[in-house]
Amino acid sequence: NAGVMQNPRHLVRRRGQEARLRCSPMKGHSHVYWYRQLPEEGLKFMVYLQKENIIDESGMPKERFSAEFPKEGPSILRIQQVVRGDSAAYFCASSPGRGPDTQYFGPGTRLTVL
Amino acid sequence: AQTVTQSQPEMSVQEAETVTLSCTYDTSESDYYLFWYKQPPSRQMILVIRQEAYKQQNATENRFSVNFQKAAKSFSLKISDSQLGDAAMYFCAYRSAWAGSARQLTFGSGTQLTVLP
């Protein structure tokens, strides 16, 4: 009974490199959400996707960040030209898209930018 | 925009005792969901309990229960018979129930709960 899977769990990048974070939703879930948690803070919404569609990216920084959820495969959060301020824990959540639509979270990816 | 406020950055409770964590929220909507998630040292976000705003009955999950006061926009979490494994950061979260509206969760800043042996 696999829950939401995220990989890698830890990612270290140097400034200017690219970071790719992957998320596989729970079985039967078609909605994916990405959140960012800065140190000592709560989670902040970034983007909401369904298969092949970005539904809401109002929380996504305008530059360097992008997300996709292809027809096949995991959702990807991509950060180009990382800076130290991108260091954070990035959480993916999935939901079935119906009813209370409760979101279940993955274990997160901790990104450290050197 | 909706906001969620947790006014207690830290709380502590003696093992086997009861503790209540506070949460207030601000919204102009009448239909929504409220959640409590816990984040233990592993950093995994774990759903504790969910409340539908249209339900008057307070949600209960084993030792966890809520006091939902819709008019006051208050949603507190009560943990009974506290256990060492309850030690974690607890986040209150809000989500609109309207179809087509934003589905993201809005989180409070969290309450760090320490359980004393």
Side-chain angles (χ1 to χ4, degrees):
Chain A
N1 182 21
V4 180
M5 309 284 284
Q6 286 189 252
N7 66 81
R9 294 291 305 275
H10 300 275
L11 183 61
V12 179
R13 286 288 178 265
R14 297 190 180 280
R15 281 178 294 171
Q17 291 184 320
E18 178 179 287
R20 282 186 179 236
L21 289 62
R22 295 174 184 77
C23 168
S24 296
M26 282 179 70
K27 186 175 181 180
H29 287 191
S30 57
H31 295 214
V32 165
Y33 311 78
W34 286 93
Y35 294 84
R36 177 166 65 176
Q37 185 178 32
L38 295 171
E40 309 301 326
E41 293 187 12
L43 279 71
K44 296 288 195 296
F45 167 76
M46 300 181 73
V47 62
Y48 161 40
L49 310 102
Q50 297 176 25
K51 284 284 188 183
E52 301 184 280
N53 284 302
I54 297 174
I55 308 301
D56 181 355
E57 57 183 346
S58 59
M60 193 90 102
K62 297 296 181 202
E63 298 179 352
R64 302 186 299 107
F65 286 72
S66 62
E68 63 176 6
F69 189 16
K71 186 177 181 181
E72 301 291 338
S75 175
I76 306 286
L77 179 67
R78 181 184 180 205
I79 312 172
Q80 295 178 290
Q81 299 176 327
V82 296
V83 300
R84 289 227 172 100
D86 296 332
S87 294
Y90 292 82
F91 289 91
C92 169
S94 73
S95 73
R98 59 187 178 277
D101 210 24
T102 299
Q103 295 178 28
Y104 295 90
F105 283 80
T109 294
R110 184 177 298 276
L111 172 66
T112 301
V113 180
L114 301 177
Chain B
Q2 292 80 20
T3 58
V4 178
T5 302
Q6 293 179 251
S7 58
Q8 305 156 314
E10 297 176 349
M11 291 280 286
S12 62
V13 62
Q14 208 73 36
E15 196 175 3
E17 296 293 309
T18 296
V19 65
T20 299
L21 308 184
S22 301
C23 173
T24 59
Y25 57 94
D26 188 25
T27 183
S28 58
E29 297 178 330
S30 59
D31 201 11
Y32 47 86
Y33 298 96
L34 296 164
F35 304 84
W36 280 96
Y37 285 87
K38 67 182 278 190
Q39 187 176 45
S42 67
R43 306 286 297 208
Q44 172 81 52
M45 290 289 289
I46 301 167
L47 176 68
V48 175
I49 201 165
R50 181 188 72 219
Q51 174 78 43
E52 291 89 341
Y54 65 86
K55 289 186 178 178
Q56 292 189 343
Q57 185 174 6
N58 289 322
T60 299
E61 287 287 342
N62 301 313
R63 297 182 296 107
F64 298 87
S65 61
V66 299
N67 183 5
F68 173 49
Q69 302 289 330
K70 191 172 184 180
K73 296 180 182 174
S74 171
F75 182 60
S76 61
L77 175 69
K78 185 172 85 171
I79 306 174
S80 304
D81 186 24
S82 297
Q83 300 176 359
L84 295 177
D86 295 333
M89 180 73 87
Y90 285 80
F91 291 100
C92 178
Y94 170 102
R95 185 177 77 74
S96 172
W98 291 105
S101 70
R103 287 177 176 257
Q104 70 265 29
L105 294 166
T106 300
F107 285 90
S109 55
T111 296
Q112 181 67 51
L113 178 66
T114 300
V115 181
L116 304 169

